Amino acid sequence: MEEAKYKYIGRSVPRIDALEKATGKIKYMSDLSLPNMLFGKILRAKYPHAKILRIDTSKAEALPGVVTVITHKDVPGLNGFGIVVPDMPVLCKDKVRYIGDAVAAVAAETETIAEKALSLIEVDYEPLPIVDDPEEAMKEDAPKIHEEGNIHLHTEIKRGDVEKAFKEADLIIEETFFTGRQDHTPLETEGGVAFVDEEGNLNVYVGSQYPQRDQLQLARCLNWNPKKIRVVSYPVGGAFGRKDELSIQPILALLAIKAKRAVKITLSREESMIAYWKRHPFKMHYKVAFKNDGTLLGVDAYLVEDKGAYSSLGGPVLNLAVEHACGPYRVDNVHVDGYAVFTNNGIAGAFRGFGAPQTAFAIETIMDIASRKLNIDPIDLRKKSALRKGDKTSIGNVLSTSVGTELVLDGIRESNIWKNREELRKISTKPWLKRGVGVALTYQGTGLGVGIPDYGGAILSMNEDGSFSVRVGTVDYGQGIGTSYAQIVAEAMNIPIEKVKVVLGDSFLTADSGPTSASRGVYTGGKAALIASEKMKKTLKEKVSKLFKTDEDNVEFGFGYVYDKVSGNKVTYEELAKNFKEEGKLPEEEGYFLVPTAEIKIENAFGLPHHIFAFSAHTAYVEVNTLTGEVSVLEGAEAVDGGIVVNRQGFEAQVEGGFVMGMGYGLTEHLAIENGIVKNPNFSTYIIPSIKDVPKRIETIPVINPEDTGPYKAKGIAETVMVATAPAITNAIYDATGARIFSIPATPSVVYFAIKEAESEENFD
Amino acid sequence: MKEIDYFFPKTLEEALQILNENKGSMRVIAGGTDLVVRLKQGQVKEDRLLDISRIDALKGIEDRGEKIYIGATTTHTEILEHPLIKTSVPILHDAIKSIASLQIRNIATIGGNVANASPAGDSIPALFVLNGFVFTKSIEEERKIPIEEFFLGPSKTSLKENEILVGIEITKMQDDEVGFFRKVGQRKGTAISVVNGAVRLKKDSKPNRFSKAFVSLGAVAPTVVRAKIVENALESEEIDSLDKIMYISGLVFREVSPISDVRGSLEYRRDVSINIIYEGLADLFLNGFRRS
Ligand SMILES: Cc1cc2nc3c(=O)[nH]c(=O)nc-3n(C[C@H](O)[C@H](O)[C@H](O)COP(=O)(O)OP(=O)(O)OC[C@H]3O[C@@H](n4cnc5c(N)ncnc54)[C@H](O)[C@@H]3O)c2cc1C
């Protein structure tokens, strides 16, 4: 086995932050308190769509204990932010576009006073018609949310001849699908503190996924020199894509600057759910052509993304959905037509999977329907068209990096559930409880895609005691990349992992390593850390060769020391560090890694194609109560191709967490917005899986498929592990009951009525 | 959250006195698991709270021969851990076990579950079929109210402003009695009922026949309701097939008037209120109506 030669890579290494997290010792940004600190609160829109006629803050300002009130007038720079298009106002000036839009903010001595002050701010509105149906919003005469119109992005891809494919098809499946508005529900809501220090630097301590980009976005809003803005974005209490984009940071910064004091904001769960990012709901119409032997002849897909009120990453999400619309299959006749459309339905942005979970639900349901209609085993059917290295993807780029489609399908075939599925589905404890098994396959582009700067960066320095510090901008928000970086440096430098200190997410201290998103954390930051380690070794070799007066080639690395293989002389890292120190300064090296990209660009589809992909096959074993529609997921399994696994324990945790997040997506989670108003903004009504809903066993099957470009041949798996869980479950529901699910979440009610419909069709037949 | 005055009386007499003096501006708090949520949402008009959780006289479970008395501030966990409950009133045991999570059950009380008067309160259908009575006290009087008369609507009870709910009495199940509690939530753990229900049947000397039937349903009307038509059918028919059970359960339709809300639609609640009664009865039938 490849990994047998390693001390750390591929092993189960406990998280380096496990103890401080388990004991609660770690301080998240929302735990921070500073002396003489103020509390900030944000006034949100009163209507989901309205003109602002007048804002009067005088009464709030007059309230004792209120230090600062801010409105759009206080935004010195660009009153807008957004990773792609900065169209979301920091504080709205003449219009609000969703119910969470920020209109004003207050900093006061106590939270209660700040709350009271909000109620004293007078805002006059002229309500506008609410646009809540993306397809209505696309019509010419629909009320406009943004002046340029409601269609944010249209991406259309054509390959081959779909019409011809339909003519030649033995089987055509045509269906419409809906997916829900999932909230990331990180444990930590948006929160943190900001202050201006003695040197005049603005410090913003808010957990996020990319400190350097936060720094630049803030500089643009504040009209400040970015070099004077320190963003500390680690530790983060969970993110999953939600904290890629800014949220409260510009308001917090403005309050701190104007008040000349430290200010803290922490959002309640309700405010967080109403005001910030979600997964985009999609409506998808698919028409798919098959041959009797299972050949996938053609796919025609029409995708409508409910963008919500502002752009953020909604464009790239649409494009990734378009890219993944046909699944990891070889298909030469393709027409994918996607629209991202503005509505007043909250805001949506990046979320684990980034457009892939939506289309995976559609295409994997269709594969299941096809396998039944064609009477071909579902894994065999998928294998028939599974992408292999050298194949063209549905959007036409040639896969030249590692491809694990067949490996994960073979892997899942060996899972407990799949091997024993015939017996498992027969188990019946009561006549109304039906069991079934479902499978689904997916892949996920890693990294940012063509045309977007995509690099990893790491600074590695030797400390006085002979230990090393690695400083990377990407953050550990639970996925465990900090531990992986430590493993990579420990492995490369041949030192105990305890001797690696990891510093993450600090715009002043860490190397810019791009966003912590797109399954790229280990791949990019890890590779940069590896490159920095190699440089460091070179520097140490030079030093030691001088020290022992030997040739550099004779210098080798032992575990925690360096030696001359000719003389046998050795020097520990600690001694070396002393030596460096005496002669001047301790060594520091930087590693940068440019992520390889595809050789082609897809016309009119920014960012496409991706070049490196992770693959996974998921299976679920469910029991459905046909009387109530309740679904119990009894067991799950995932076979995942993430290249060479860096941390076995982290890998398993990702699979388990991803599967459960996929369960929530498939079965319960949807933020209901009616007429622009959120109906279920808390955990009593927005339903995420509880520990009692989690299956007793989620089997993790890593397939070993080295990715040559990655650090120790690893690639990212953080997204793919959640993507195909929902269709695996809904396919299992069908297997159990004969009820086909076209809309997720498949709540008990959705499942119950689907069963009823299936039964009445059966009676009719 | 607004500022409130908090009172911590040690005896029931003291508590009743304070409550009487502050009639109208004071609210009782026990575990606070319902009340604090509402307080945070600004839905509590009173600005004084009377914490009754440390009054010994309101706590504990008493074996009263054919009856069981449960003090109002007995927590759900205390109830579940009491040996009498599991053996003598398994329906109540199952109902309380389904409430919230362990952490909540450790502080939430049965008195709170009842006084809160949610149509979805999980202990309530069980208390309905176990012939429950509510005991109340004020400085003026003591009352014993049949549980069915206690509820006037969602969050509305017949408690007077100066009254405290002091305890609940239920009838033990005899060896010839079977029953069940069933709830459907939006997930398995920590879920509020979308529909719930309880049934108790007293067996007749003839097989598959019942001399007495109690059926109650929650979350399908402004208060928990008894399904009398279903009870009558269960008492008059021979329960000898699943078809018969389906027919009888279908009568639930005539007893419920559900609404649609964020947790479930009218149609779903209506169908599932029928189906959980079917499921529970079918379960019992397939088990030969044995007490498991
Ligand atoms: C996360 C969560 C999950 C939950 N899940 C469930 C569930 O699954 N099923 C369910 O039924 N409930 C559930 N609940 C609701 C709640 O926990 C229960 O209703 C609980 O039994 C209430 O008891 P308490 O002692 O906390 O009541 P409190 O909150 O203290 O009081 C509730 C109401 O009753 C009044 N009151 C309380 N005691 C008395 C008394 N002795 N005399 C007069 N008035 C009184 C109070 O004034 C208040 O109006 C849940 C709550 C939470 C927060």
Side-chain angles (χ1 to χ4, degrees):
Chain A
M1 284 260 285
E2 181 104 16
E3 66 248 61
K5 62 180 190 238
Y6 295 128
K7 210 171 245 113
Y8 291 108
I9 302 299
R11 313 263 168 219
S12 261
V13 175
R15 298 180 60 106
I16 53 175
D17 53 0
L19 196 66
E20 54 175 355
K21 280 190 170 164
T23 56
K25 198 178 146 220
I26 197 167
K27 287 261 179 287
Y28 293 98
M29 305 312 182
S30 358
D31 297 328
L32 299 179
S33 276
L34 296 173
N36 202 24
M37 169 177 95
L38 299 172
F39 294 88
K41 292 267 174 203
I42 301 166
L43 182 70
R44 307 272 171 198
K46 195 173 166 194
Y47 302 95
H49 197 194
K51 272 190 196 150
I52 298 175
L53 304 177
R54 183 184 71 101
I55 306 175
D56 182 350
T57 59
S58 53
K59 288 197 183 114
E61 280 161 41
L63 184 72
V66 170
V67 177
T68 301
V69 182
I70 56 169
T71 65
H72 63 90
K73 287 190 196 133
D74 299 286
V75 184
L78 176 73
N79 186 8
F81 63 91
I83 294 169
V84 180
V85 186
D87 60 1
M88 175 146 165
V90 176
L91 292 163
C92 296
K93 184 177 172 202
D94 33 38
K95 195 174 175 186
V96 292
R97 295 179 180 84
Y98 81 107
I99 198 71
D101 245 336
V103 179
V106 175
E109 300 291 346
T110 68
E111 276 195 272
T112 317
I113 297 172
E115 194 84 60
K116 178 91 211 279
L118 289 189
S119 68
L120 297 175
I121 298 172
E122 293 168 12
V123 187
D124 292 343
Y125 293 97
E126 182 191 318
L128 297 167
I130 294 162
V131 183
D132 59 359
D133 179 332
E135 282 179 302
E136 291 295 317
M138 285 166 74
K139 293 184 179 154
E140 278 290 314
D141 55 349
K144 283 194 177 117
I145 293 169
H146 293 274
E147 270 171 31
E148 313 78 62
N150 293 337
I151 296 179
H152 169 54
L153 185 67
H154 174 214
T155 299
E156 186 171 13
I157 281 179
K158 284 182 183 161
R159 263 186 75 230
D161 184 347
V162 269
E163 288 316 317
K164 192 163 152 257
F166 292 125
K167 277 193 207 102
E168 290 168 4
D170 295 320
L171 170 69
I172 295 174
I173 297 169
E174 187 167 3
E175 297 292 353
T176 303
F177 301 87
F178 298 87
T179 59
R181 184 181 293 106
Q182 191 179 24
D183 191 287
H184 314 68
T185 66
L187 272 179
E188 186 191 31
T189 59
E190 293 76 6
V193 291
F195 60 95
V196 178
D197 62 25
E198 313 83 64
E199 289 163 35
N201 288 330
L202 171 70
N203 291 257
V204 179
Y205 282 70
V206 176
S208 85
Q209 297 177 214
Y210 190 2
Q212 285 87 356
R213 187 175 55 212
D214 295 355
Q215 180 186 24
L216 293 179
Q217 287 218 66
L218 284 170
R220 193 166 57 180
C221 299
L222 301 173
N223 217 0
W224 270 46
N225 180 350
K227 290 200 175 119
K228 297 198 66 88
I229 303 174
R230 178 175 181 189
V231 174
V232 180
S233 69
Y234 173 85
V236 194
F240 305 106
R242 185 191 196 85
K243 296 171 185 172
D244 208 12
E245 183 62 271
L246 290 182
S247 58
I248 58 166
Q249 292 96 326
I251 293 174
L252 186 64
L254 284 169
L255 286 173
I257 293 167
K258 198 172 172 200
K260 300 195 171 63
R261 280 169 68 182
V263 180
K264 173 169 182 164
I265 294 180
T266 26
L267 298 193
S268 68
R269 181 62 62 181
E270 283 81 357
E271 185 173 357
S272 170
M273 281 201 158
I274 291 167
Y276 292 112
W277 309 102
K278 300 285 174 294
R279 189 188 297 291
H280 297 86
F282 269 55
K283 179 177 176 185
M284 299 166 284
H285 186 82
Y286 270 70
K287 193 172 165 191
V288 181
F290 291 90
K291 276 292 204 198
N292 273 334
D293 67 357
T295 307
L296 184 55
L297 274 186
V299 176
D300 190 351
Y302 177 69
L303 316 175
V304 180
E305 170 191 295
D306 185 347
K307 179 63 242 85
Y310 299 107
S311 313
S312 188
L313 285 163
V317 166
L318 176 73
N319 283 355
L320 199 122
V322 166
E323 182 178 21
H324 291 66
C326 304
Y329 303 112
R330 244 174 300 121
V331 51
D332 293 324
N333 302 299
V334 176
H335 177 219
V336 184
D337 196 14
Y339 290 86
V341 188
F342 288 120
T343 66
N344 300 121
N345 295 335
I347 53 173
F351 196 154
R352 194 183 206 175
F354 210 79
Q358 291 90 333
T359 51
F361 171 60
I363 189 72
E364 288 305 294
T365 303
I366 286 172
M367 292 306 275
D368 200 66
I369 297 171
S371 95
R372 285 165 199 278
K373 294 220 159 139
L374 300 171
N375 206 9
I376 302 175
D377 171 86
I379 290 183
D380 290 342
L381 178 72
R382 286 170 172 85
K383 267 195 118 165
K384 174 117 195 144
S385 313
L387 284 173
R388 297 158 311 199
K389 199 163 174 168
D391 283 344
K392 266 192 182 166
T393 67
S394 57
I395 63 168
N397 74 307
V398 177
L399 287 174
S400 57
T401 58
S402 61
V403 176
T405 333
E406 290 176 300
L407 287 173
V408 297
L409 286 170
D410 291 341
I412 209 71
R413 228 197 262 278
E414 291 306 311
S415 64
N416 177 53
I417 299 176
W418 198 260
K419 265 195 319 222
N420 300 307
R421 70 187 194 285
E422 288 312 327
E423 293 89 273
L424 289 174
R425 32 200 317 260
K426 275 186 220 131
I427 296 174
S428 170
T429 50
K430 286 168 188 174
W432 51 88
L433 300 179
K434 308 277 187 207
R435 294 190 178 194
V437 173
V439 68
L441 175 71
T442 192
Y443 72 150
Q444 181 85 34
T446 300
L448 306 176
V450 167
I452 304 164
D454 198 355
Y455 49 83
I459 303 167
L460 184 66
S461 47
M462 191 177 209
N463 302 320
E464 269 180 49
D465 62 354
S467 67
F468 291 87
S469 293
V470 62
R471 294 181 276 143
V472 192
T474 35
V475 304
D476 190 335
Y477 48 77
Q479 79 285 53
I481 58 172
T483 307
S484 295
Y485 295 162
Q487 285 177 274
I488 287 168
V489 171
E491 190 72 54
M493 299 304 304
N494 207 2
I495 49 171
I497 196 164
E498 299 75 36
K499 296 273 182 207
V500 186
K501 210 179 134 217
V502 179
V503 181
L504 302 168
D506 186 321
S507 69
F508 275 15
L509 299 182
T510 60
D512 183 350
S513 197
T516 321
S517 62
S519 306
R520 67 191 288 292
V522 167
Y523 180 79
T524 52
K527 185 74 183 240
L530 184 59
I531 291 169
S533 301
E534 294 305 335
K535 284 188 176 173
M536 178 64 77
K537 280 164 86 174
K538 179 108 185 44
T539 306
L540 298 187
K541 268 190 173 184
E542 277 170 25
K543 180 87 184 165
V544 172
S545 78
K546 276 190 213 134
L547 204 66
F548 294 147
K549 302 199 172 48
T550 180
D551 201 83
E552 264 181 50
D553 292 342
N554 295 333
V555 179
E556 304 246 314
F557 291 83
F559 192 55
Y561 59 91
V562 192
Y563 65 101
D564 172 13
K565 71 178 175 199
V566 180
S567 65
N569 286 336
K570 66 180 197 180
V571 55
T572 64
Y573 279 131
E574 207 176 336
E575 288 160 348
L576 257 183
K578 244 188 231 139
N579 199 288
F580 272 111
K581 191 87 203 287
E582 277 159 17
E583 286 179 12
K585 98 189 226 302
L586 289 158
E588 180 172 291
E589 299 293 347
E590 293 187 12
Y592 283 97
F593 166 59
L594 202 58
V595 174
T597 52
E599 277 159 18
I600 61 157
K601 256 188 199 164
I602 304 293
E603 284 297 306
N604 304 320
F606 188 65
L608 304 192
H610 284 79
H611 184 53
I612 294 156
F613 296 86
F615 297 80
S616 61
H618 304 213
T619 173
Y621 175 39
V622 306
E623 180 176 86
V624 184
N625 187 323
T626 55
L627 294 171
T628 61
E630 294 164 290
V631 175
S632 305
V633 180
L634 303 172
E635 189 172 325
E638 292 190 16
V640 183
D641 164 23
I644 296 296
V645 175
V646 174
N647 188 350
R648 176 64 200 230
Q649 182 178 313
F651 188 86
E652 281 169 16
Q654 280 281 24
V655 167
E656 288 169 7
F659 188 90
V660 174
M661 185 177 252
M663 274 177 59
Y665 186 53
L667 292 174
T668 56
E669 295 185 47
H670 171 57
L671 195 84
I673 300 183
E674 281 170 25
N675 295 317
I677 306 294
V678 177
K679 293 292 171 189
N680 52 346
N682 58 47
F683 286 151
S684 166
T685 45
Y686 181 90
I687 306 295
I688 58 174
S690 79
I691 194 65
K692 282 197 182 161
D693 298 273
V694 171
K696 294 231 160 48
R697 178 174 183 209
I698 298 166
E699 191 182 356
T700 304
I701 305 163
V703 305
I704 306 301
N705 190 26
E707 168 49 48
D708 292 338
T709 61
Y712 293 101
K713 309 199 174 194
K715 57 186 177 186
I717 58 152
E719 296 173 277
T720 194
V721 291
M722 78 74 61
V723 171
T725 301
I729 290 172
T730 51
N731 289 340
I733 293 171
Y734 181 87
D735 190 48
T737 63
R740 187 56 75 185
I741 304 297
F742 295 105
S743 174
I744 50 172
T747 61
S749 167
V750 167
V751 174
Y752 174 75
F753 288 111
I755 292 170
K756 248 184 122 169
E757 201 184 311
E759 278 168 358
S760 68
E761 275 166 19
E762 211 169 275
N763 292 341
F764 190 74
D765 283 349
Chain B
M1 226 157 92
K2 62 180 176 183
E3 290 204 2
I4 39 175
D5 289 328
Y6 208 85
F7 295 76
F8 240 135
K10 289 199 191 63
T11 67
L12 183 56
E13 291 64 39
E14 197 191 336
L16 293 173
Q17 202 69 46
I18 300 172
L19 187 58
N20 198 57
E21 282 161 17
N22 294 283
K23 235 183 331 203
S25 64
M26 176 171 265
R27 191 73 171 258
V28 170
I29 178 165
T33 61
D34 272 316
L35 192 70
V36 175
V37 176
R38 291 188 174 215
L39 211 56
K40 280 194 169 169
Q41 293 169 343
Q43 292 174 358
V44 176
K45 63 177 200 306
E46 295 86 351
D47 52 15
R48 283 171 200 171
L49 291 183
L50 181 70
D51 189 319
I52 56 167
S53 65
R54 293 185 197 170
I55 299 172
D56 286 342
L58 293 178
K59 257 191 184 311
I61 296 172
E62 260 175 57
D63 190 344
R64 293 188 172 171
E66 293 195 344
K67 313 261 182 187
I68 298 174
Y69 178 84
I70 307 175
T73 60
T74 314
T75 65
H76 295 314
T77 298
E78 287 163 349
I79 295 172
L80 290 178
E81 285 174 355
H82 200 285
L84 200 55
I85 301 296
K86 190 158 187 178
T87 52
S88 305
V89 279
I91 299 173
L92 182 67
H93 186 271
D94 289 352
I96 288 182
K97 209 168 90 183
S98 82
I99 293 177
S101 60
L102 180 63
Q103 292 89 335
I104 300 272
R105 289 194 300 269
N106 283 343
I107 51 164
T109 66
I110 188 160
N113 198 240
V114 172
N116 194 52
S118 160
D122 286 317
S123 75
I124 303 170
L127 299 175
F128 263 59
V129 303
L130 293 167
N131 193 25
F133 283 89
V134 174
F135 290 75
T136 68
K137 237 181 195 170
S138 68
I139 56 161
E140 292 136 15
E141 58 172 343
E142 290 181 16
R143 299 196 291 154
K144 179 180 175 187
I145 311 163
I147 187 107
E148 284 163 65
E149 290 167 24
F150 185 69
F151 302 103
L152 307 177
S155 308
K156 286 206 190 72
T157 68
S158 57
L159 269 179
K160 295 176 190 158
E161 281 179 336
N162 65 345
E163 264 180 338
I164 288 178
L165 191 169
V166 292
I168 284 158
E169 187 189 76
I170 44 178
T171 305
K172 286 182 191 166
M173 287 170 69
Q174 304 301 309
D175 290 342
D176 62 350
E177 292 183 359
V178 290
F180 64 86
F181 169 82
R182 173 77 162 100
K183 108 181 202 183
V184 175
Q186 291 168 290
R187 68 177 163 213
K188 289 207 190 67
T190 323
I192 304 295
S193 285
V194 177
V195 178
N196 61 16
V199 168
R200 175 165 67 103
L201 301 171
K202 189 170 186 61
K203 291 191 234 178
D204 195 276
S205 47
K206 293 188 218 85
N208 295 336
R209 286 206 169 260
F210 301 94
S211 60
K212 220 58 206 108
F214 302 85
V215 178
S216 70
L217 287 151
V220 286
T223 68
V224 173
V225 291
R226 277 274 291 276
K228 293 265 167 66
I229 304 171
V230 182
E231 293 176 356
N232 287 338
L234 285 167
E235 287 165 7
S236 53
E237 299 276 339
E238 193 181 343
I239 314 300
D240 53 359
S241 70
L242 289 177
D243 284 346
K244 184 69 81 49
I245 292 173
M246 193 31 119
Y247 159 72
I248 291 174
S249 309
L251 299 172
V252 163
F253 185 72
R254 290 157 62 178
E255 309 261 13
V256 299
S257 51
I259 54 160
S260 291
D261 65 17
V262 65
R263 292 200 175 90
S265 67
L266 184 162
E267 294 77 13
Y268 180 72
R269 285 201 160 96
R270 190 192 51 211
D271 281 19
V272 170
S273 63
I274 294 169
N275 288 356
I276 60 169
I277 297 301
Y278 170 79
E279 182 182 355
L281 290 173
D283 233 350
L284 290 175
F285 169 72
L286 296 173
N287 223 347
F289 293 108
R290 274 185 303 273
R291 187 110 165 236
S292 56

